[in-house]
Amino acid sequence: QVQLQESGPGLVKPSQTLSLTCTVSGGSISSGGYYWSWIRQHPGKGLEWIGYIYYSGSTYYNPSLKSRVTISVDTSKNQFSLKLSSVTAADTAVYYCARRHSSGYYFGRWGQGTLVTVSS
Amino acid sequence: QSALTQPASVSGSPGQSITISCTGTSSDVGGYNYVSWYQQHPGKAPKLMIYEVSNRPSGVSNRFSGSKSGNTASLTISGLQAEDEADYYCSSYTSSSLYVFGTGTKVTVL
């Protein structure tokens, strides 16, 4: 059973870069077949797709965040990461990592989520 | 890309059936059979309930079913149970090669 677990600072200062890592266990990112995704949820609000990466390094980003987002993968550690630059209070949210099958347009496995607060 | 439109809340008594709608455009819901539905209990991660409009993942109760007509998708929960009380979100792949989620619906079991 594949499991995903987010990690990273829970507090980031405005204008700085938010950095999160998702560690995958029970399966190998480098075996292919899946897109590894980041999705966020503002407090009390709906879900927003941020983007995803394939094990080869191909990335797809939400155009609304594209100028500030970088998603990368480290197959040696079986992890993928999110960097969001120039954050503001509007980036305060629960950040989830999730897995999408390469032939299925849905997110079948999710991490538990991690709250990131942007505040000075 | 605008969020898909869902009713803010839907309620029903135990044993009843309820339906949640998810309205988009021809560029998302209407253009692809790639609508999925997620259940989210408070403080928990979303859980996939329906994929590709009407398919249920292994382990999801057959009380949950999905359908689509034009630009509107629907999730029906039959035989409503207390454990079904949660937030529900639809999602669709779009013509811009990205994903959009719905505004979310709070289901209350009376």
Side-chain angles (χ1 to χ4, degrees):
Chain A
Q1 184 92 327
V2 170
Q3 292 188 318
L4 292 79
Q5 177 68 59
E6 306 88 350
S7 59
L11 181 64
V12 180
K13 289 182 166 51
S15 79
Q16 293 190 342
T17 296
L18 178 160
S19 296
L20 295 174
T21 296
C22 183
T23 300
V24 179
S25 58
S28 174
I29 288 179
S30 59
S31 64
Y34 297 95
Y35 288 92
W36 302 94
S37 313
W38 288 99
I39 295 165
R40 70 180 183 179
Q41 185 171 33
H42 294 103
K45 302 291 186 181
L47 299 159
E48 180 181 29
W49 175 73
I50 298 171
Y52 48 51
I53 190 166
Y54 198 56
Y55 80 98
S56 61
S58 299
T59 53
Y60 303 83
Y61 298 138
N62 188 327
S64 68
L65 296 168
K66 188 173 183 178
S67 63
R68 297 194 292 131
V69 171
T70 301
I71 297 177
S72 59
V73 64
D74 186 339
T75 55
S76 67
K77 295 181 179 179
N78 220 30
Q79 296 174 333
F80 63 104
S81 299
L82 168 71
K83 289 189 185 301
L84 181 65
S85 64
S86 305
V87 298
T88 69
D91 294 309
T92 294
V94 174
Y95 287 77
Y96 294 99
C97 56
R99 185 184 77 169
R100 190 214 114 180
H101 197 284
S102 60
S103 61
Y105 295 82
Y106 53 88
F107 302 97
R109 193 78 70 186
W110 297 64
Q112 66 184 29
T114 187
L115 174 63
V116 178
T117 301
V118 179
S119 175
S120 55
Chain B
Q1 187 77 41
S2 299
L4 306 175
T5 301
Q6 298 180 231
S9 62
V10 173
S11 61
S13 299
Q16 287 187 329
S17 292
I18 61 169
T19 297
I20 303 168
S21 62
C22 170
T23 301
T25 69
S26 59
S27 296
D28 38 64
V29 174
Y32 304 91
N33 287 324
Y34 296 143
V35 175
S36 51
W37 289 90
Y38 303 86
Q39 176 192 64
Q40 187 178 36
H41 287 108
K44 300 295 187 181
K47 174 188 175 184
L48 178 68
M49 304 302 284
I50 295 287
Y51 67 95
E52 292 170 0
V53 176
S54 59
N55 295 303
R56 267 189 321 274
S58 174
V60 172
S61 171
N62 60 9
R63 298 185 297 104
F64 291 84
S65 61
S67 63
K68 191 186 83 167
S69 177
N71 295 336
T72 298
S74 299
L75 174 71
T76 297
I77 309 174
S78 57
L80 198 61
Q81 299 180 0
E83 66 205 49
D84 301 331
E85 187 161 292
D87 293 328
Y88 291 82
Y89 294 92
C90 61
S91 177
S92 177
Y93 183 69
T94 79
S95 59
S96 302
S97 300
L98 53 83
Y99 289 82
V100 62
F101 286 91
T103 50
T105 298
K106 181 176 181 59
V107 168
T108 301
V109 181
L110 301 171

